[in-house]
Amino acid sequence: MSAGPAKNPSVVTRFAPSPTGFLHIGGARTALFNWLFARHNGGQFQLRIEDTDRVRSTKEAIDAIIDGMRWLGLDWDGDITYQFERAPRHTEVAEELLKAGKAYKCFATAEELEAMRAEQRAKKQPQRYDGRWRDRDPSEAPAGAPYVVRLKADQEGETTLHDLVQGDVTVKNAELDDMILLRSDGTPTYMLAVVVDDHDMGVNHVIRGDDHLNNTFRQLGIIRAMNWDAPQYAHIPLIHGADGAKLSKRHGALGVEAYRDDFGYLPEAICNYLLRLGWGHGDDEIITREQAIEWFDLTSVGRSPSRFDFKKLENINGHYIREADDQRLTDLVKPRVEKTLEHALSSSEQALLLQAMPFLKSRAKNLNELAENSLFLFEKRPLKLEEKAAKQLENTSGSLLAILRKTLGDLPAWDSESLEKALHDVAEQADLKMGKVAQPLRAALTGRTVSPGIFDVMILLGQDESLARLDDQLSLSPTHS
RNA sequence: GACCCCAUCGUCUAGCGGUCUAGGACAUCGCCCUUUCACGGCGAAAACACGGGUUCGAUUCCCGUUGGGGUCGCCA
């Protein structure tokens, strides 16, 4: 039954995106892992919007993130926390640290610091704040001069992080400089805010991108200064583009809504793909949400970055399309078809789409292909033939089409059995292989060389429409005119 | 430049000292099924980065090299 790793209902995870853009694919995976870990343990999964950057944070981005989370089925517990609203609390902690002598005021100007860094760069020294105000008294500063509050970080010893994914990572405390807690305008920085929020929200498992690994040591400094318990950390490797470099737009660094709207992927396919990127469960490839919840654990998360592979995503998406409910697919494909057709589908056309879905869905890897492949059902006569289809008909004798037209026209019953027999008879009489008969017929009926089975096509189209489309081609046939 | 992380087929991965003549999946290439295209089935090709150790024995442990990545903001 419960084959998965041991459960711990006290687990609290969170996803904390900054709303400066859409929910990108890497963020989606981080959210998924946090969600899975919480659900597996029967714990809590929280959503926190890190909107402390007032200039770059937008309402649109917040909506896009929430929309993306919902689409992927990643539901969170409780209300969304907006970090900016908690600024007073962050400031309070900074003041407390200041009072306890664990933080201090630094009056160095931005220009001064830039000069310091430039010098360090020139001397090929590590770039970090040199602690010039660490032991000076504020009275040494010009009256009323602006200042930032910095953490008085430990200079001696080293810190070892027991990361749930990366293992033990040790960094010398001397490597870390005194980070800014409060900006000169009094607003809290990200470093302070995350630590305080995670603590106050009871977050005990921080699962985030590898790019935060170095930050963790700084954050640990604040936690130590406050005498708080540190959460467990799990730094998951980043997703790279197909070329191994940082995920660029061209290589998939798009918002999840692009995967939904532009590429036509199903959320379950995205989740399955993302789950397998960096995490594995033996040889399992297709993993249901229930299995994922049951099996997910942090110890099986890989330590190396993985490359984003559209081909594999397409394959998985194709699998889920084949599995998906016909009505659901019809609803998803309808707007795409309507966009191409430039008019709304009538209720009978929608019914036809639904009826065709079982034959369409095994041939598509995404919803765009699905829509594209269904177009022949709705196109108005006379059909515009694809180049290959036109060529196919050119190479077909008009007499064969005429025989087909007559045979099919005389058919009293329009079901697959009758149609199959009719076509076989025609092929036999003309001494042709089935393909030589079916292909031109397909070209005439769909305008393409690729379609669902020819009998299915005829049934979907109906006898009248099928014959009419055949007539269209017959009237154009040189041997007939 | 400093610090940190990573390293199995083209890609995602299984492997947790002997079971490995290294398994699966995607992609690729054959064949089969077949009215086309898919689906499905069968098969092929394809990897332990390199060099040192440790060990009776390393893909698995340690060190180094190389190669990738991340971080060094009054951004998050």
Side-chain angles (χ1 to χ4, degrees), chain A residues 378-383 464-465 467-472:
Chain A
F378 313 111
E379 274 161 354
K380 295 283 169 270
R381 298 177 31 232
L383 260 43
D464 292 348
E465 178 69 15
L467 293 176
R469 289 189 182 190
L470 209 41
D471 282 336
D472 288 340

Side-chain angles (χ1 to χ4, degrees), chain A residues 47-122:
Chain A
L47 179 59
R48 182 174 73 229
I49 302 292
E50 310 221 316
D51 53 353
T52 52
D53 186 334
R54 302 315 289 167
V55 192
R56 295 196 299 150
S57 296
T58 65
K59 175 79 170 66
E60 292 69 45
I62 292 175
D63 291 343
I65 289 166
I66 292 173
D67 184 46
M69 296 281 288
R70 292 217 171 102
W71 180 62
L72 291 171
L74 305 178
D75 57 324
W76 54 91
D77 299 303
D79 294 330
I80 297 176
T81 299
Y82 289 88
Q83 193 161 60
F84 180 67
E85 293 174 359
R86 294 180 38 80
R89 166 63 178 151
H90 304 146
T91 309
E92 180 184 303
V93 171
E95 297 293 348
E96 198 178 323
L97 254 14
L98 211 44
K99 212 164 292 171
K102 292 179 173 174
Y104 62 93
K105 294 176 181 177
C106 167
F107 294 86
T109 62
E111 301 75 52
E112 195 182 334
L113 293 175
E114 186 36 55
M116 176 195 75
R117 277 191 284 268
E119 195 184 326
Q120 290 169 339
R121 250 195 313 274

Side-chain angles (χ1 to χ4, degrees), chain A residues 244-314:
Chain A
K246 197 169 180 173
L247 200 55
S248 64
K249 286 210 172 173
R250 168 156 171 53
H251 286 121
L254 303 161
V256 289
E257 74 279 352
Y259 288 81
R260 178 188 62 199
D261 304 333
D262 300 346
F263 302 136
Y265 295 134
L266 263 22
E268 57 268 42
I270 297 277
C271 286
N272 194 150
Y273 176 71
L274 251 22
L275 176 62
R276 283 290 290 104
L277 213 51
W279 180 86
H281 185 266
D283 286 341
D284 295 304
E285 295 289 346
I286 297 297
I287 300 166
T288 65
R289 177 146 297 210
E290 293 65 37
Q291 289 172 319
I293 290 173
E294 188 60 40
W295 293 338
F296 189 77
D297 64 334
L298 259 13
T299 49
S300 298
V301 176
R303 284 133 313 230
S304 56
S306 43
R307 301 183 183 200
F308 197 85
D309 183 6
F310 273 104
K311 284 281 175 53
K312 187 146 187 174
L313 210 203
E314 285 262 309

Side-chain angles (χ1 to χ4, degrees), chain A residues 388-424:
Chain A
K388 279 183 181 173
K391 190 151 283 174
Q392 189 120 50
L393 283 167
E394 275 171 35
N395 297 332
T396 303
S397 77
S399 59
L400 175 63
L401 288 183
I403 293 169
L404 269 171
R405 168 64 180 88
K406 168 131 185 43
T407 310
L408 293 173
D410 292 344
L411 266 188
W414 197 257
D415 52 63
S416 64
E417 209 174 295
S418 313
L419 290 167
E420 200 166 341
K421 184 176 184 307
L423 238 60
H424 270 111

